[in-house]
Amino acid sequence: VSIVLGPNHYGKAETRLVRVTREPGRHVVEDLNVSTTLTGDFAASHLSGDNSNVLPTDSQKNTVYAFARDGIGSPEDFGLRLARHFVESQEPVTAARVSIERYGWARLDVDGSPAPHSFRRAGGEIRTATITHGDEGTWMVSGIRDLTLMNTTGSEFWGFPRDRYTTLPETRERILATALDARWRSVTSPGGERIDWNARYETVRAHLLSAFADTYSYALQQTAHAMGSRVLKHLPEIAEIRLALPNKHHYLVDLSPFGLDNPDEVYLAGDRPYGLIEVTVQRDDVPAAPQAW
Amino acid sequence: VSIVLGPNHYGKAETRLVRVTREPGRHVVEDLNVSTTLTGDFAASHLSGDNSNVLPTDSQKNTVYAFARDGIGSPEDFGLRLARHFVESQEPVTAARVSIERYGWARLDVDGSPAPHSFRRAGGEIRTATITHGDEGTWMVSGIRDLTLMNTTGSEFWGFPRDRYTTLPETRERILATALDARWRSVTSPGGERIDWNARYETVRAHLLSAFADTYSYALQQTAHAMGSRVLKHLPEIAEIRLALPNKHHYLVDLSPFGLDNPDEVYLAGDRPYGLIEVTVQRDDVPAAPQAW
Amino acid sequence: VSIVLGPNHYGKAETRLVRVTREPGRHVVEDLNVSTTLTGDFAASHLSGDNSNVLPTDSQKNTVYAFARDGIGSPEDFGLRLARHFVESQEPVTAARVSIERYGWARLDVDGSPAPHSFRRAGGEIRTATITHGDEGTWMVSGIRDLTLMNTTGSEFWGFPRDRYTTLPETRERILATALDARWRSVTSPGGERIDWNARYETVRAHLLSAFADTYSYALQQTAHAMGSRVLKHLPEIAEIRLALPNKHHYLVDLSPFGLDNPDEVYLAGDRPYGLIEVTVQRDDVPAAPQAW
Amino acid sequence: VSIVLGPNHYGKAETRLVRVTREPGRHVVEDLNVSTTLTGDFAASHLSGDNSNVLPTDSQKNTVYAFARDGIGSPEDFGLRLARHFVESQEPVTAARVSIERYGWARLDVDGSPAPHSFRRAGGEIRTATITHGDEGTWMVSGIRDLTLMNTTGSEFWGFPRDRYTTLPETRERILATALDARWRSVTSPGGERIDWNARYETVRAHLLSAFADTYSYALQQTAHAMGSRVLKHLPEIAEIRLALPNKHHYLVDLSPFGLDNPDEVYLAGDRPYGLIEVTVQRDDVPAAPQAW
């Protein structure tokens, strides 16, 4: 017959791991949500329920916890260790992907001093990493999610085409707000030198925020492009960056029925619908890597 | 410089549309969540904030509501009308994608008779459609999401490899539960004959459920493959189907510390982590269409 | 000092329990989310960390699973068994509350026949029960949640007062939609006769839906009151019922800017804000029972 | 008949309001979610759909936006202005409650300097206020929600009773984590002097965090009580405080099957079930105010 098994993979999603490193007088918390995905020769399981090639997802979960015993360091390093392990130890596995969310914890400040072992969740913002390793190569994608940003001025929107269905007035003054979702692929290190992924993350994050704040914006597209290109300009070790930015609309409320003006002060924060801008900014001298995403 | 604008698109996400068709004595409700995405020549907006090619997302929203005035019919037909409109009416637009969620409403039964205009949300289950239309072709992907299924027996899991991190016991009796997420691509109609998308949806759905119930399962992979291949076997008009099935684990509770046995009766329903099986089943005589997804 | 410990209680929230009853050729699924709360003499734990009166919440969870071994029957019966156990077996415990959510599962139909052991989650709608038992008495509150309802006609809203801030036009035709949240307290059975709680639930649910469909509505308040009073009229065994009904607004879209009329057909389904109507309907010859809620 | 209309109220929930105060070179953002609830003589609306006493919830929403034109200042002050307005301007209204969530925004730091008009959402943590004003009095309840806290040591749990269903081992070392939900009622200001609610909020928050960090804990009850009593000890203007603390369990993972020890380093963060501790700490010389909550 002409019906065939196509691409397939499997794994364990959302293994919740918290690691406490107990340095004297100063604990460190690493809080991760780890998902593993294996690709390889699993046809027999699909076709006949023969699981001789299928390492249980329960074992993958156990591996995440066991590997954490030796430390995490960065999501990227931890994920790469895991991905290599699955490919090297399981003959049918040709590639492994490890996707990690990292939740931040901020040290409490008590009576002016940093607390040794007390923390609060630094809510919202999530750091991500997707490590893909296999026969065809190794790719490192890092990211940030759910970081909500707002400029209260410095944003216009006009000059757009008007068709039969266009009623939107042009504006020279609006709130620009978004929930940042950015992922960037690092140029793979050829010599295998050690990379400080945590420092790199902080640097990328700072450039994204600076570009958001510094760009006088005529379109969210322009802001998105400015954020991405600023990262690439400053970090030659980043090959490409992808941004998905919802336009979190803030509508100026018409107060005139109540006899009031509204000089750009009172806004309704809308839920749905929302604009959505998606863009890739990339180096044209670095090969594309669709497998990384 | 070597930094360039890569792939980009934009649109309006989650326009919430309810349409009531008021037939005498019998209303019909169509409840959709519509997202539109346009691809084309928007470089000027990214590079300099020149929006002369950027039809506002607000206009896209308006178009969704205006087109609903003439009826919806099926998510696939409605989405195709919208996608064609954007491509044909906006010169810079080379392709449009319309993604739709459709929420079901069941007619209330009052004193044994179907109510003419009273309904309840048929919760959970969501019907989806993704229509992609542009210079390179037209693709129709239909789907179902969030339909949670359970077999209380007829599922085993054994014969898997055991490594250092494997502690899972083999089992000949377990609950198999999942939240169905399936999407299928139709073979594009060459002659343009009219397709009854609503009927097709019901047929695919019935085959998926039957295959889930009828498959004695040695692996969730096997069940996933059986569901997909059954659809392709019965519907030559489907080119490929993709399934993503979380393994919603139900753990048999050990009651022995309390002096009780547990003959496959009492289970803990786990939240996280969960296994995740992803598979494509396809015809090998139909060209692939990565642009459709 | 004048600072004192006030009311306090503790327990285990959201123990997820699935029970399969394996009748030959026909399995039955009961899917519950159980929360237990104990009240009593726990002052020492608060004041000095002396836990000698504090049955661990982990033990409460274990008890839920162990008691399920003997069957569930109805959330109300199961909860009462648990509540009595905690009060009777733990000397410091003066009262226990057991709150249960029950999720429905519908049997799959395969090729026209009911499947013996295959099910789908009947999404949305959740059945609830709150059982309170202790020194002061026993109260049974049953309920339903998240059942979204819509009348596409038969709803008006006019005759309301207009103040400086009122811009809402009067309407003689609107969609009336809500997500039903109803809880009803049963008159406690003095003789201790056995009650068929599952049948009572179905009866109350049917009356609520009938009243929603049958009431020509001039206000959501009127609909809410009609639903509650219909239940009390038909079921003398119900002492009071409380309803909380969000007004899920559907806004008629103005299509006139596009040269189109909109004869009550195309609506925008809003998320926020929403009206919220809360009402109690009660018998005036039954004592109030604030402890039950 | 004996069936009567009981307590009832209605209002507009979740009006989303963002106010920008545009001081030269330094904007300020206030981001609120406002819900209004009116109590009074609305019997006619329930019984016959006569709405002559029912100020539309749409007007309540409009009032929220209109009042924001004159500034917000603090959720407490803003809510009190709104509550008074409804009671004073609507004859049938005997009491109004305004419940507010306030979301924090942190100013971005760009190249070492605070940005004049760029912000990020300070995620997680939500400030709340519930203002109740009417014929019987005025009550101010302030609060904080969704602030997740963790102590990585300094927590034990032992000495608890063991029944047939107890399997939990005693522990002298565990992670203590919770999501703070605290609400405190202020002693009503008799002389009507102006209160700096924003400063009061920061003071209460600091005491709660300090007590969490400083308490060597033998039970989450003890920590909860320490947090509440510390607030009352330091702030005579607070009459009572209510805490609801989920015990966000972190389970030490048993790595011994893999030949590894686990010296309090690797934890599984559980979702459900969770312990839940609820406690009130109050002054015994201040009258109770059940209407405030």
Side-chain angles (χ1 to χ4, degrees), chain B residues 16-20 22 27 29 62 65-66 68-69 105 108 110-111 117-121 123-124 147-153 173 175 205 209-210 212-214 230 250 253 255 258 260-269, chain C residues 16-20 22 27 29 62 65-66 68-69 105 108 110-111 117-121 123-124 147-153 173 175 205 209-210 212-214 230 250 253 255 258 260-269:
Chain B
R16 292 282 291 110
L17 162 66
V18 171
R19 189 185 198 285
V20 179
R22 300 176 179 272
H27 291 188
V29 173
N62 287 344
Y65 287 119
R69 176 65 183 86
W105 289 86
L108 288 187
V110 176
D111 301 327
H117 44 66
S118 299
F119 304 86
R120 65 175 171 81
R121 257 296 304 272
L147 176 57
T148 303
L149 299 173
M150 180 191 289
N151 284 325
T152 51
T153 189
E173 173 67 55
I175 285 183
R205 183 183 181 281
L209 295 195
S210 292
F212 180 80
D214 287 350
R230 175 159 172 161
H250 286 69
V253 180
L255 301 178
F258 323 127
L260 300 170
D261 64 348
N262 186 356
D264 299 318
E265 289 191 343
V266 179
Y267 294 86
L268 182 163
Chain C
R16 290 283 290 110
L17 161 67
V18 171
R19 191 185 197 284
V20 179
R22 299 175 180 274
H27 290 188
V29 173
N62 288 343
Y65 287 119
R69 176 66 183 87
W105 288 86
L108 289 187
V110 177
D111 301 329
H117 45 65
S118 299
F119 304 86
R120 65 176 171 81
R121 259 295 305 271
L147 176 56
T148 304
L149 300 172
M150 180 191 290
N151 285 325
T152 51
T153 189
E173 173 66 56
I175 286 183
R205 182 184 181 281
L209 295 196
S210 292
F212 179 80
D214 287 350
R230 175 158 172 161
H250 286 68
V253 180
L255 301 179
F258 323 126
L260 300 171
D261 64 349
N262 186 356
D264 299 317
E265 289 192 343
V266 179
Y267 295 86
L268 183 163

Side-chain angles (χ1 to χ4, degrees), chain A residues 148-152 155 174-180 212 220 245-250 275, chain D residues 105:
Chain A
T148 302
L149 299 173
M150 179 191 290
N151 284 325
T152 52
S155 169
R174 64 170 185 175
I175 285 183
L176 188 71
T178 192
L180 178 59
F212 179 80
L220 183 50
L245 300 188
N247 196 340
K248 297 177 79 76
H249 304 303
H250 286 68
Chain D
W105 288 86

Side-chain angles (χ1 to χ4, degrees), chain B residues 142-176:
Chain B
S142 305
I144 188 169
R145 257 206 306 115
D146 295 350
L147 176 57
T148 303
L149 299 173
M150 180 191 289
N151 284 325
T152 51
T153 189
S155 169
E156 310 188 3
F157 189 55
W158 50 267
F160 45 77
R162 307 192 74 89
D163 71 355
R164 175 183 171 187
Y165 303 105
T166 300
T167 56
L168 187 75
E170 301 197 329
T171 180
R172 308 279 168 157
E173 173 67 55
R174 65 170 185 174
I175 285 183
L176 188 71

